[in-house]
């Protein structure tokens, strides 16, 4: 079981700091690249795996830095190639992350940014018990690397989606720090265009994200075409409102040139009527937008249902006829509780103290 420690993480240590540390320990400069290759390409699980480093250096590194602080406590695989990990953090909290495979050879990981969530979306399993804490940058990065370690040596991760537990923009500093390593050529080298950050719609966070150096792909979880309905489904909307969210998303597009995706979880009889699709089309028709329709993934404790395929089709066709770009995101990971927060709830949110 990993133990809480105050050591800095070797995984998120900036390259220049690693070089500085190595110089202080009498090591040649090329060791920094050698170590990073072990971490991000050669998939070392411990410092001792780095067999071409001198033994004393390995001991000094292990003394000074943490490597993996998370431990896999559950690993589930689905017939469609989806794999899900439940990770235990050093304080006994748990988080989850998913590897998705598709027939275009995309290898996508879906990661969490918080333990629990404070947003309270009524249909979502992640927020049922509120927020426990933010994840640290290293804990976000470790999810990605733990999933990378599941791939055969000749396969690389191609995409990252920040759509697991938690509100991404409520833990933006840690997320950006983790993504700095993900995008860096000395890290995982995954381009910002292959990274999607999903948000409930926090306008200040969206504007801040627009001004980073990286054109990440932004997905806004809209789920309703008017404030009256959105206030009910996504309670944080009461403090923001759809207009402010769309204005911030427009700002994101203006700054990055990246088309914004709007996610719309389809909940039977709640937000799936033709009129809802028509209202949504009015909101988005003058915008360069993509709507991602997600049929609800039922959560056993919650009283919400997945619409029939016919209703889903009618919703999508109404948008399409109105000239909106739309796609349906079908379920993956059938049978392994792949929707946010579900595995963690089933397996226990926290380690049981012996
Ligand atoms: N806080 C971020 C990330 C959340 S998870 C956000 O709100 O976008 C990513 C998406 O999955 C969100 O759109 C979320 O509303 C949606 N979601 C949550 N529970 C779901 C469920 N049971 N079925 C389908 N989608 C769900």
């Amino acid at each position: 079981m990993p133990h809480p420690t105050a050591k800095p993480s070797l995984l998120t240590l900036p390259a220049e700091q690693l070089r500085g540390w190595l110089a202080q320990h009498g090591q040649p400069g090329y060791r920094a690249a050698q170590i990073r290759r072990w971490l991000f390409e050669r998939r070392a699980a411990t410092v001792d795996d780095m067999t071409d480093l001198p033994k004393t250096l390995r001991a000094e590194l292990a003394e000074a830095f943490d490597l993996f602080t998370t431990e896999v406590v559950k690993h589930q695989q689905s017939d469609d190639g989806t794999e899900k990990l439940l990770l235990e953090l050093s304080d006994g909290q748990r988080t989850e992350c998913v590897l998705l495979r598709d027939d275009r050879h995309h290898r996508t990981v879906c990661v969490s940014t918080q333990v629990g969530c404070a947003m309270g979306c009524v249909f979502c399993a992640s927020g049922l018990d509120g927020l426990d804490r933010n994840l640290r940058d290293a804990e976000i990065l470790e999810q990605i690397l733990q999933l990378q370690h599941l791939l055969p040596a000749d396969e690389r991760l191609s995409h990252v989606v920040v759509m697991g537990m938690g509100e991404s923009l409520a833990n933006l500093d840690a997320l950006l720090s983790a993504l700095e390593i993900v995008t860096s050529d000395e890290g995982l080298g995954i381009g910002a265009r292959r990274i999607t950050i999903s948000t409930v719609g926090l306008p200040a966070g969206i504007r801040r994200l627009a001004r980073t150096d990286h054109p990440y792909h932004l997905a806004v979880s809209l789920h309703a075409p008017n404030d009256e309905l959105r206030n009910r489904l996504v309670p944080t909307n009461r403090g923001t409102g759809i207009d402010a969210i769309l204005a911030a998303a427009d700002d994101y597009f203006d700054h990055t040139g990246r088309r914004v995706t709007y996610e719309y979880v389809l909940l039977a009889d709640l937000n799936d009527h033709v009129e809802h699709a028509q209202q949504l089309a009015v909101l988005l028709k003058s915008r360069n937008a993509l709507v991602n329709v997600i049929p609800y993934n039922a959560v056993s404790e919650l009283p919400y249902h997945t619409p029939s395929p016919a209703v889903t089709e009618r919703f999508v066709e109404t948008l399409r006829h109105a000239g909106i770009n739309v796609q349906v995101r079908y379920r993956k990971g059938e049978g392994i509780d792949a929707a946010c927060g579900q595995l963690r709830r089933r397996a226990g949110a926290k380690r049981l103290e012996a």
Side-chain angles (χ1 to χ4, degrees):
M1 181 188 307
H3 289 286
T5 105
K7 293 181 194 174
S9 168
L10 192 56
L11 295 169
T12 49
L13 193 70
E16 59 282 11
Q17 282 183 35
L18 178 57
R19 281 191 282 271
W21 185 92
L22 287 164
Q24 276 168 18
H25 288 75
Q27 292 292 330
Y30 66 79
R31 294 270 186 235
Q34 203 177 358
I35 291 169
R36 292 199 142 219
R37 224 171 14 256
W38 273 114
L39 296 175
F40 302 113
E41 270 173 49
R42 304 180 75 178
R43 307 178 187 180
T46 67
V47 172
D48 259 334
D49 290 345
M50 305 182 185
T51 43
D52 54 5
L53 297 184
K55 259 206 156 107
T56 47
L57 173 59
R58 277 186 262 160
E60 285 169 337
L61 283 167
E63 179 67 28
F65 303 105
D66 273 333
L67 220 165
F68 283 89
T69 63
T70 58
E71 193 176 279
V72 177
V73 289
K74 196 161 185 176
H75 176 190
Q76 291 182 306
Q77 282 175 276
S78 152
D79 292 343
D80 64 11
T82 304
E83 297 186 54
K84 181 158 186 162
L85 296 179
L86 184 68
L87 298 181
E88 189 164 293
L89 309 172
S90 55
D91 62 358
Q93 296 276 11
R94 289 171 170 193
T95 188
E96 54 187 42
C97 53
V98 184
L99 169 69
L100 300 133
R101 297 177 157 94
D102 75 5
D103 42 20
R104 291 170 296 173
H105 302 291
H106 289 179
R107 298 289 178 266
T108 303
V109 295
C110 175
V111 296
S112 300
T113 53
Q114 299 181 312
V115 181
C117 184
M119 297 300 120
C121 301
V122 296
F123 51 83
C124 176
S126 298
L128 286 176
D129 300 319
L131 174 69
D132 280 306
R133 70 167 172 89
N134 280 337
L135 293 177
R136 293 194 300 266
D137 54 359
E139 291 169 331
I140 297 171
L141 186 61
E142 282 185 39
Q143 296 173 61
I144 299 174
L145 295 173
Q146 295 272 21
L147 292 164
Q148 181 207 37
H149 291 188
L150 302 179
L151 290 177
D154 61 345
E155 286 186 20
R156 294 169 56 88
L157 294 178
S158 61
H159 294 75
V160 175
V161 298
V162 186
M163 292 189 182
M165 269 198 298
E167 168 47 35
S168 327
L169 300 188
N171 189 17
L172 190 52
D173 287 331
L175 176 61
L176 291 178
S177 165
L179 292 181
E180 209 51 59
I181 311 282
V182 174
T183 52
S184 157
D185 287 336
E186 295 190 337
L188 289 171
I190 301 175
R193 286 163 190 279
R194 291 166 168 245
I195 297 173
T196 301
I197 299 177
S198 180
T199 174
V200 73
L202 304 181
I206 293 173
R207 289 175 194 275
R208 207 187 130 199
L209 190 62
R211 286 157 183 78
T212 66
D213 294 335
H214 299 288
Y216 297 115
H217 186 103
L218 177 70
V220 175
S221 295
L222 201 57
H223 306 331
N226 61 67
D227 281 327
E228 194 266 322
L229 181 58
R230 194 166 193 271
N231 288 346
R232 282 199 278 142
L233 301 178
V234 181
T236 68
N237 191 62
R238 293 173 199 147
T240 43
I242 291 175
D243 284 351
I245 294 169
L246 294 179
D250 291 345
D251 176 73
Y252 194 84
F253 176 73
D254 292 343
H255 270 81
T256 61
R258 301 285 284 142
R259 175 172 77 172
V260 174
T261 296
Y262 292 90
E263 289 163 284
Y264 197 103
V265 169
L266 221 44
L267 301 157
D269 299 323
L270 271 174
N271 65 355
D272 61 348
H273 303 165
V274 168
E275 301 78 68
H276 295 132
Q278 288 165 340
Q279 279 181 33
L280 184 62
V282 171
L283 283 183
L284 298 181
K285 73 171 183 292
S286 62
R287 297 184 152 92
N288 188 352
L290 171 70
V291 176
N292 212 340
V293 171
I294 311 162
Y296 183 57
N297 197 348
V299 175
S300 55
E301 297 99 316
L302 295 174
Y304 304 100
H305 302 284
T306 315
S308 68
V311 168
T312 304
E313 188 61 15
R314 186 184 64 182
F315 192 89
V316 167
E317 280 312 312
T318 305
L319 286 171
R320 209 163 263 151
H321 277 122
I324 304 294
N325 300 307
V326 54
Q327 66 183 28
V328 186
R329 199 206 293 155
Y330 291 103
R331 273 182 82 162
K332 284 221 167 215
E334 201 83 38
I336 61 165
D337 305 313
C340 334
Q342 290 187 45
L343 175 62
R344 174 172 166 269
R345 282 194 76 71
R346 191 162 309 206
K350 221 178 156 181
R351 176 175 74 219
L352 294 172
E353 300 300 337

